[in-house]
Amino acid sequence: MKIRLQKFLASVGVASRRASEKIIQDGRVQVNGRIVRELGVKIDPDVDEIKVDGKACRKEPRHIYILINKPIGVVTTVKDPFGRPTVLDLIKGLKERVYPVGRLDMDTEGLLILTNDGEVTYRLTHPKHEVEKTYLAHVRGMVGRQQILMLETGVKLEDGLTAPAKVRIVKYDGDSTVLEIKIHEGKKRQVRRMCSAVGNPVIYLKRTHIGTLSLKNLKPGQWRFMTAKEIEYIKNL
C-alpha cells in the first residue's frame, strides 16, 4: 500500500511529519536512488528503497504476540514433513509470520506463545532467565512423599540431572494422581520423563502457565492476542 513519503519517514522514526517535510524539501531524501523534493510523492515501503542522507530507512515489522491453547495431536512447528497439523494451521487471517516460542510435544495440551519478536523469544527460552512453566500432570499410581521428594530435588535423566521442581498433589483419582509441577528448564519431554523416572508415567499433560501468563478461558485450539500488560511482562523478564 502506498503512503506519502513524509508519513513513512515519521513512521520509522526519522523525524516528525512536519520535520520530515523539510528534510524532503532540502533534498536529503532519495527514493530508489533519485533525490525527491516534492511533498506529494507516494511510496510503497515494501518495494521502494528510501534513504535519508545516504542511510537506508526500513519499515520495521509489526511485532505480534499471541497466546494459544495447543490441542493434543498438533505439532509445535512451522511446517511438518509428515503433513500433521501445526500450531500455525490454527492461526487464521494473520498476515505477519509468527513462530512458536519453545515446544510442547504432540501429545501435550496447553499454553504456547507465538511471536515474531526475537528478543522476547530469547528471554523466554534462554536457560539463564529461568522462566517458570506450570503443568498439570495426570499420572498413573498413587504418588507419595518419596516421589515428590525425588521430583523436587532432581531426577537423573539420560541428558543429565533435572533442576529442582516445585510439586504438589492436586488430588487422587482412583489409582492415579493429578500433580501440579513447576519447572524452569526446557529439556525434551521433560515432565513426562521425570514422572516416568519416579515410577508414575503420564496419562495426560497440560501446560497451564508460562510465568504469570495463563490460559484463562482459552479452549483447545483457541488463541488470542496478548494484552498490553502481558506484553510488558514478557519484555521485562
Side-chain angles (χ1 to χ4, degrees):
M1 182 179 71
K2 289 197 172 187
I3 61 173
R4 289 186 182 274
L5 181 56
Q6 59 266 38
K7 183 178 180 179
F8 169 75
L9 295 179
S11 71
V12 296
V14 171
S16 68
R17 194 176 300 190
R18 179 162 294 184
S20 294
E21 290 177 353
K22 186 171 190 312
I23 290 173
I24 294 169
Q25 291 172 326
D26 288 344
R28 295 168 55 191
V29 181
Q30 289 179 307
V31 177
N32 299 326
R34 182 177 67 86
I35 294 176
V36 172
R37 297 176 186 269
E38 300 80 24
L39 297 181
V41 170
K42 289 188 175 183
I43 57 97
D44 185 339
D46 297 320
V47 176
D48 297 319
E49 181 186 55
I50 315 300
K51 291 184 178 180
V52 176
D53 297 330
K55 184 177 179 181
C57 300
R58 292 182 177 86
K59 180 182 178 182
E60 291 296 325
R62 181 171 71 112
H63 283 151
I64 304 294
Y65 308 90
I66 287 172
L67 291 182
I68 188 169
N69 186 348
K70 187 196 84 66
I72 293 171
V74 173
V75 293
T76 311
T77 56
V78 175
K79 292 182 179 180
D80 183 68
F82 303 105
R84 295 171 297 184
T86 73
V87 288
L88 293 191
D89 293 330
L90 303 173
I91 308 296
K92 305 297 183 183
L94 193 68
K95 294 181 180 179
E96 294 84 358
R97 291 181 63 85
V98 292
Y99 306 89
V101 179
R103 287 177 178 268
L104 282 179
D105 66 69
M106 187 172 70
D107 299 323
T108 300
E109 178 187 320
L111 184 62
L112 188 69
I113 294 173
L114 302 176
T115 186
N116 56 0
D117 188 332
E119 179 63 26
V120 162
T121 298
Y122 173 79
R123 288 176 179 270
L124 288 168
T125 56
H126 197 282
K128 75 177 183 180
H129 294 296
E130 297 189 348
V131 179
E132 190 172 73
K133 295 170 279 287
T134 305
Y135 296 81
L136 277 181
H138 189 177
V139 302
R140 298 188 189 282
M142 306 292 285
V143 175
R145 184 59 203 160
Q146 182 179 358
Q147 291 97 323
I148 296 292
L149 185 61
M150 292 170 67
L151 293 169
E152 289 182 332
T153 55
V155 179
K156 190 174 182 180
L157 303 177
E158 298 86 356
D159 50 352
L161 188 70
T162 63
K166 299 175 185 176
V167 185
R168 72 177 181 91
I169 296 172
V170 176
K171 67 176 181 177
Y172 291 108
D173 185 10
D175 59 353
S176 63
T177 310
V178 178
L179 300 174
E180 180 187 77
I181 302 175
K182 296 176 183 283
I183 62 172
H184 58 74
E185 292 179 294
K187 297 180 187 295
K188 187 175 180 180
R189 298 175 68 88
Q190 181 172 337
V191 173
R192 291 180 181 274
R193 294 161 62 207
M194 288 170 63
C195 291
S196 291
V198 301
N200 299 100
V202 168
I203 302 169
Y204 166 79
L205 186 62
K206 178 179 182 178
R207 183 159 71 189
T208 61
H209 292 76
I210 298 174
T212 63
L213 303 176
S214 68
L215 285 171
K216 294 184 179 177
N217 298 320
L218 283 180
K219 297 178 181 179
Q222 291 184 335
W223 63 276
R224 66 172 175 82
F225 292 109
M226 293 172 64
T227 66
K229 186 175 181 180
E230 290 169 335
I231 295 170
E232 181 182 11
Y233 165 72
I234 60 175
K235 285 187 174 182
N236 289 318
L237 285 170

